[in-house]
Amino acid sequence: MSADASRSDGPTGNGHAAVDEEPRPATYYHLARAVLYREYLIFVRYPANAIGGIVVSLFFFAALFLGGQLLAGQALTDSIEGIVVGYFLWTLSVGAYSSVSNDIGSEVQWGTLERHITTPFGFAPVALLKGIAKVVRTFLTSAVILALMLVITGTQLSLAPLTVVVVAGLSITSVLGLGFAAGGVTVLYKQIGNWLNLLQFGFVALISAPVFDLPWTRVLPLAHGSAMLQRVMVDGVRLWEFPLVDLALLVAVAVGYLIGGYLVFEYATARARRLGVLGDY
Protein backbone atom coordinates (compact mmCIF):
# COMPACT_ATOMS: atom_id res chain seq x y z
CA MET A 1 0.00 0.00 0.00
CA SER A 2 1.35 3.37 -0.94
CA ALA A 3 1.91 6.17 1.51
CA ASP A 4 -0.87 8.23 -0.10
CA ALA A 5 -3.33 5.39 0.28
CA SER A 6 -2.38 4.81 3.88
CA ARG A 7 -2.96 8.48 4.64
CA SER A 8 -6.41 8.37 3.07
CA ASP A 9 -7.52 5.45 5.21
CA GLY A 10 -9.60 6.30 8.24
CA PRO A 11 -8.71 5.17 11.73
CA THR A 12 -10.64 1.91 11.17
CA GLY A 13 -8.75 1.13 7.97
CA ASN A 14 -11.94 0.78 5.92
CA GLY A 15 -10.61 2.89 3.07
CA HIS A 16 -12.91 5.88 3.68
CA ALA A 17 -11.13 9.22 3.71
CA ALA A 18 -11.02 10.84 7.12
CA VAL A 19 -12.81 14.13 7.20
CA ASP A 20 -11.24 16.83 9.36
CA GLU A 21 -13.74 18.76 11.42
CA GLU A 22 -13.80 22.45 10.73
CA PRO A 23 -13.02 24.55 13.82
CA ARG A 24 -16.16 26.17 15.11
CA PRO A 25 -15.96 29.93 15.73
CA ALA A 26 -16.29 31.05 19.32
CA THR A 27 -19.51 32.80 20.27
CA TYR A 28 -20.40 35.30 22.96
CA TYR A 29 -21.76 32.37 24.95
CA HIS A 30 -18.29 30.83 25.05
CA LEU A 31 -16.78 34.19 25.97
CA ALA A 32 -19.27 34.72 28.82
CA ARG A 33 -18.68 31.19 30.11
CA ALA A 34 -14.91 31.70 29.98
CA VAL A 35 -14.89 34.97 31.94
CA LEU A 36 -17.33 33.58 34.53
CA TYR A 37 -15.16 30.51 34.94
CA ARG A 38 -12.12 32.78 35.26
CA GLU A 39 -13.75 34.65 38.14
CA TYR A 40 -14.60 31.35 39.79
CA LEU A 41 -10.99 30.17 39.50
CA ILE A 42 -9.67 33.44 40.92
CA PHE A 43 -12.02 33.07 43.88
CA VAL A 44 -11.21 29.43 44.68
CA ARG A 45 -7.47 29.68 44.04
CA TYR A 46 -6.99 32.87 46.06
CA PRO A 47 -9.55 32.52 48.85
CA ALA A 48 -7.45 34.48 51.32
CA ASN A 49 -7.72 37.60 49.16
CA ALA A 50 -11.48 37.17 48.69
CA ILE A 51 -12.07 36.62 52.40
CA GLY A 52 -9.77 39.54 53.16
CA GLY A 53 -11.98 41.85 51.11
CA ILE A 54 -15.02 40.80 53.15
CA VAL A 55 -13.12 41.28 56.43
CA VAL A 56 -11.93 44.76 55.42
CA SER A 57 -15.46 45.82 54.44
CA LEU A 58 -16.85 44.55 57.74
CA PHE A 59 -14.05 46.29 59.65
CA PHE A 60 -14.93 49.65 58.13
CA PHE A 61 -18.62 49.08 58.79
CA ALA A 62 -17.96 48.05 62.39
CA ALA A 63 -15.85 51.17 62.90
CA LEU A 64 -18.64 53.28 61.42
CA PHE A 65 -21.32 51.60 63.50
CA LEU A 66 -19.52 51.50 66.85
CA GLY A 67 -18.03 54.98 66.44
CA GLY A 68 -21.41 56.34 65.46
CA GLN A 69 -23.03 54.80 68.51
CA LEU A 70 -20.53 56.56 70.74
CA LEU A 71 -21.06 59.92 69.03
CA ALA A 72 -24.72 59.87 68.04
CA GLY A 73 -26.25 57.27 70.33
CA GLN A 74 -29.98 56.79 69.73
CA ALA A 75 -29.98 58.94 66.61
CA LEU A 76 -27.78 56.38 64.86
CA THR A 77 -29.89 53.50 66.12
CA ASP A 78 -33.03 55.06 64.65
CA SER A 79 -31.42 55.31 61.22
CA ILE A 80 -29.35 52.12 61.23
CA GLU A 81 -31.51 50.42 58.56
CA GLY A 82 -30.75 53.18 56.08
CA ILE A 83 -27.03 53.01 56.92
CA VAL A 84 -26.94 49.24 56.37
CA VAL A 85 -28.71 49.54 53.01
CA GLY A 86 -26.46 52.42 51.95
CA TYR A 87 -23.30 50.55 52.88
CA PHE A 88 -24.53 47.46 51.05
CA LEU A 89 -25.09 49.52 47.90
CA TRP A 90 -21.70 51.18 48.34
CA THR A 91 -19.89 47.81 48.40
CA LEU A 92 -21.74 46.83 45.23
CA SER A 93 -20.86 50.14 43.59
CA VAL A 94 -17.17 49.92 44.40
CA GLY A 95 -17.08 46.38 43.03
CA ALA A 96 -18.86 47.37 39.80
CA TYR A 97 -16.68 50.44 39.30
CA SER A 98 -13.36 48.74 39.97
CA SER A 99 -14.35 45.67 37.95
CA VAL A 100 -13.50 47.52 34.73
CA SER A 101 -11.18 50.36 35.73
CA ASN A 102 -8.85 48.42 38.02
CA ASP A 103 -8.89 45.33 35.81
CA ILE A 104 -7.80 47.30 32.75
CA GLY A 105 -5.14 49.06 34.82
CA SER A 106 -3.79 45.66 35.87
CA GLU A 107 -3.79 44.41 32.28
CA VAL A 108 -1.79 47.49 31.26
CA GLN A 109 0.80 46.86 33.99
CA TRP A 110 1.07 43.15 33.22
CA GLY A 111 1.53 43.79 29.50
CA THR A 112 -1.40 41.51 28.57
CA LEU A 113 -3.68 44.23 27.19
CA GLU A 114 -2.85 43.32 23.59
CA ARG A 115 -4.51 39.92 24.03
CA HIS A 116 -7.84 41.68 24.50
CA ILE A 117 -7.24 43.80 21.42
CA THR A 118 -6.56 40.81 19.16
CA THR A 119 -9.63 38.78 20.15
CA PRO A 120 -12.28 38.32 17.44
CA PHE A 121 -14.86 39.87 19.76
CA GLY A 122 -13.12 43.22 20.16
CA PHE A 123 -11.70 44.94 23.22
CA ALA A 124 -14.85 46.59 24.58
CA PRO A 125 -17.13 43.48 24.57
CA VAL A 126 -14.46 41.46 26.39
CA ALA A 127 -14.04 44.21 28.99
CA LEU A 128 -17.82 44.50 29.40
CA LEU A 129 -18.33 40.78 29.97
CA LYS A 130 -15.41 40.67 32.39
CA GLY A 131 -17.01 43.56 34.26
CA ILE A 132 -20.37 41.76 34.41
CA ALA A 133 -18.65 38.61 35.70
CA LYS A 134 -17.02 40.62 38.48
CA VAL A 135 -20.37 42.23 39.32
CA VAL A 136 -21.86 38.75 39.76
CA ARG A 137 -19.02 37.90 42.11
CA THR A 138 -19.48 41.21 43.93
CA PHE A 139 -23.18 40.46 44.44
CA LEU A 140 -22.28 37.19 46.17
CA THR A 141 -19.65 38.74 48.45
CA SER A 142 -21.84 41.77 49.22
CA ALA A 143 -24.69 39.43 50.17
CA VAL A 144 -22.37 37.83 52.74
CA ILE A 145 -21.39 41.28 54.02
CA LEU A 146 -25.07 42.27 54.28
CA ALA A 147 -25.92 39.16 56.27
CA LEU A 148 -23.07 39.81 58.70
CA MET A 149 -24.06 43.48 59.04
CA LEU A 150 -27.58 42.43 59.99
CA VAL A 151 -26.14 40.10 62.65
CA ILE A 152 -23.82 42.81 64.02
CA THR A 153 -26.55 45.45 64.27
CA GLY A 154 -29.47 43.16 65.08
CA THR A 155 -31.42 44.81 62.26
CA GLN A 156 -34.16 43.23 60.17
CA LEU A 157 -34.72 44.21 56.56
CA SER A 158 -37.11 43.16 53.83
CA LEU A 159 -35.07 40.97 51.49
CA ALA A 160 -37.28 40.16 48.50
CA PRO A 161 -34.62 38.59 46.22
CA LEU A 162 -36.10 39.53 42.84
CA THR A 163 -36.79 43.16 43.77
CA VAL A 164 -33.45 43.65 45.50
CA VAL A 165 -31.45 42.15 42.62
CA VAL A 166 -33.29 44.14 39.93
CA VAL A 167 -33.17 47.51 41.71
CA ALA A 168 -29.61 47.11 42.99
CA GLY A 169 -28.44 45.71 39.64
CA LEU A 170 -29.85 48.61 37.66
CA SER A 171 -28.49 51.05 40.24
CA ILE A 172 -24.90 49.86 39.86
CA THR A 173 -25.15 49.58 36.06
CA SER A 174 -24.63 53.33 35.90
CA VAL A 175 -21.48 52.88 38.00
CA LEU A 176 -20.33 50.18 35.57
CA GLY A 177 -20.55 52.87 32.89
CA LEU A 178 -18.34 55.13 34.99
CA GLY A 179 -15.90 52.26 35.32
CA PHE A 180 -15.83 51.91 31.54
CA ALA A 181 -15.01 55.58 31.13
CA ALA A 182 -12.31 55.35 33.80
CA GLY A 183 -10.90 52.24 32.10
CA GLY A 184 -10.62 54.09 28.81
CA VAL A 185 -8.81 56.98 30.48
CA THR A 186 -6.50 54.43 32.12
CA VAL A 187 -5.58 52.98 28.73
CA LEU A 188 -4.76 56.47 27.50
CA TYR A 189 -2.93 57.95 30.51
CA LYS A 190 -1.85 54.76 32.38
CA GLN A 191 -1.15 55.99 35.92
CA ILE A 192 -4.32 57.62 37.31
CA GLY A 193 -4.96 55.28 40.23
CA ASN A 194 -5.25 58.06 42.81
CA TRP A 195 -8.03 59.76 40.85
CA LEU A 196 -9.85 56.46 40.38
CA ASN A 197 -9.73 55.72 44.10
CA LEU A 198 -10.95 59.22 44.91
CA LEU A 199 -14.08 58.72 42.83
CA GLN A 200 -15.06 55.72 44.97
CA PHE A 201 -15.60 58.01 47.95
CA GLY A 202 -17.83 60.18 45.78
CA PHE A 203 -20.25 57.25 45.67
CA VAL A 204 -21.08 57.99 49.31
CA ALA A 205 -22.40 61.43 48.34
CA LEU A 206 -24.37 59.96 45.43
CA ILE A 207 -25.95 57.24 47.58
CA SER A 208 -26.98 59.77 50.23
CA ALA A 209 -28.14 62.42 47.73
CA PRO A 210 -31.37 64.21 48.85
CA VAL A 211 -33.49 63.11 45.88
CA PHE A 212 -36.72 64.29 47.51
CA ASP A 213 -35.44 67.78 48.28
CA LEU A 214 -33.45 68.08 45.05
CA PRO A 215 -35.30 66.12 42.34
CA TRP A 216 -32.65 66.87 39.71
CA THR A 217 -30.22 64.60 41.58
CA ARG A 218 -32.24 61.59 40.41
CA VAL A 219 -30.40 61.68 37.08
CA LEU A 220 -27.05 61.20 38.83
CA PRO A 221 -25.57 57.70 39.14
CA LEU A 222 -26.80 55.75 42.19
CA ALA A 223 -28.99 58.55 43.60
CA HIS A 224 -32.39 57.41 42.31
CA GLY A 225 -31.53 53.73 42.69
CA SER A 226 -30.40 54.28 46.28
CA ALA A 227 -33.71 55.94 47.18
CA MET A 228 -35.63 53.06 45.60
CA LEU A 229 -33.48 50.43 47.32
CA GLN A 230 -34.15 52.10 50.68
CA ARG A 231 -37.88 51.75 50.04
CA VAL A 232 -37.43 48.13 49.01
CA MET A 233 -35.33 46.95 51.95
CA VAL A 234 -36.61 49.23 54.70
CA ASP A 235 -40.28 49.76 53.78
CA GLY A 236 -40.85 46.43 52.01
CA VAL A 237 -41.98 47.91 48.68
CA ARG A 238 -42.00 45.36 45.84
CA LEU A 239 -40.87 45.98 42.27
CA TRP A 240 -44.39 46.02 40.81
CA GLU A 241 -45.55 48.51 43.44
CA PHE A 242 -43.29 51.31 42.19
CA PRO A 243 -44.75 53.90 39.81
CA LEU A 244 -43.89 53.24 36.19
CA VAL A 245 -42.14 56.62 36.00
CA ASP A 246 -39.70 55.63 38.76
CA LEU A 247 -38.88 52.33 37.07
CA ALA A 248 -38.45 54.00 33.68
CA LEU A 249 -36.09 56.60 35.15
CA LEU A 250 -34.05 53.87 36.88
CA VAL A 251 -33.63 52.02 33.59
CA ALA A 252 -32.90 55.21 31.63
CA VAL A 253 -30.18 56.33 34.03
CA ALA A 254 -28.59 52.87 34.01
CA VAL A 255 -28.60 52.52 30.23
CA GLY A 256 -27.59 56.15 29.63
CA TYR A 257 -24.48 56.03 31.80
CA LEU A 258 -23.51 52.59 30.52
CA ILE A 259 -23.71 53.73 26.89
CA GLY A 260 -21.92 56.98 27.72
CA GLY A 261 -19.10 55.15 29.49
CA TYR A 262 -18.86 52.66 26.62
CA LEU A 263 -18.49 55.49 24.10
CA VAL A 264 -15.80 57.18 26.20
CA PHE A 265 -14.00 53.84 26.41
CA GLU A 266 -14.12 53.35 22.65
CA TYR A 267 -12.92 56.91 21.99
CA ALA A 268 -10.04 56.65 24.50
CA THR A 269 -8.81 53.31 23.17
CA ALA A 270 -9.06 54.53 19.57
CA ARG A 271 -7.03 57.61 20.48
CA ALA A 272 -4.46 55.43 22.25
CA ARG A 273 -4.10 53.42 19.03
CA ARG A 274 -3.60 56.57 16.98
CA LEU A 275 -0.95 57.83 19.41
CA GLY A 276 0.75 54.46 19.52
CA VAL A 277 0.55 54.21 23.32
CA LEU A 278 -1.93 51.35 23.61
CA GLY A 279 0.59 48.81 24.86
CA ASP A 280 3.01 51.21 26.53
CA TYR A 281 3.36 51.60 30.27
Side-chain angles (χ1 to χ4, degrees):
M1 182 181 293
S2 66
D4 292 339
S6 64
R7 282 197 298 268
S8 65
D9 287 343
T12 58
N14 56 9
H16 294 290
V19 179
D20 294 333
E21 292 186 359
E22 290 291 333
R24 292 178 297 177
T27 64
Y28 283 101
Y29 165 76
H30 297 97
L31 176 61
R33 187 177 64 179
V35 295
L36 284 171
Y37 184 62
R38 173 180 178 269
E39 284 303 311
Y40 166 75
L41 289 180
I42 291 175
F43 184 81
V44 298
R45 290 183 180 178
Y46 306 101
N49 187 55
I51 296 173
I54 295 176
V55 171
V56 170
S57 296
L58 286 175
F59 173 79
F60 279 111
F61 176 76
L64 174 67
F65 176 66
L66 297 176
Q69 277 192 325
L70 293 175
L71 295 176
Q74 187 62 36
L76 178 71
T77 304
D78 293 340
S79 60
I80 190 61
E81 293 89 353
I83 294 176
V84 170
V85 174
Y87 194 82
F88 168 67
L89 184 58
W90 183 76
T91 59
L92 285 175
S93 303
V94 171
Y97 171 74
S98 61
S99 64
V100 178
S101 59
N102 289 354
D103 188 69
I104 291 177
S106 298
E107 298 283 355
V108 170
Q109 294 182 32
W110 298 335
T112 56
L113 192 66
E114 291 81 358
R115 297 181 183 180
H116 295 73
I117 305 297
T118 57
T119 61
F121 303 100
F123 188 12
V126 173
L128 176 61
L129 285 174
K130 289 178 67 176
I132 293 174
K134 289 183 180 294
V135 167
V136 173
R137 176 184 173 184
T138 302
F139 254 106
L140 297 177
T141 56
S142 294
V144 174
I145 295 172
L146 175 63
L148 294 175
M149 286 192 298
L150 295 179
V151 172
I152 293 174
T153 60
T155 304
Q156 291 184 347
L157 294 174
S158 176
L159 301 175
L162 175 62
T163 304
V164 171
V165 169
V166 171
V167 174
L170 288 172
S171 300
I172 63 174
T173 299
S174 58
V175 179
L176 190 61
L178 295 180
F180 251 107
V185 176
T186 300
V187 171
L188 193 57
Y189 295 106
K190 314 309 179 186
Q191 282 282 13
I192 58 170
N194 291 331
W195 292 102
L196 297 182
N197 294 331
L198 181 63
L199 185 57
Q200 296 180 11
F201 294 98
F203 296 157
V204 177
L206 293 172
I207 291 173
S208 58
V211 295
F212 297 107
D213 297 330
L214 299 174
W216 63 267
T217 59
R218 292 179 182 272
V219 298
L220 298 176
L222 291 176
H224 182 55
S226 176
M228 291 182 64
L229 193 63
Q230 292 282 348
R231 295 185 60 191
V232 169
M233 301 181 72
V234 177
D235 301 330
V237 179
R238 297 295 184 264
L239 185 65
W240 52 87
E241 295 175 346
F242 281 104
L244 186 59
V245 174
D246 287 347
L247 294 174
L249 180 59
L250 181 65
V251 173
V253 170
V255 174
Y257 278 96
L258 182 60
I259 293 176
Y262 190 90
L263 293 177
V264 171
F265 181 85
E266 287 281 20
Y267 171 78
T269 52
R271 179 171 174 77
R273 289 191 186 98
R274 290 195 301 269
L275 296 176
V277 297
L278 188 62
D280 293 345
Y281 182 71

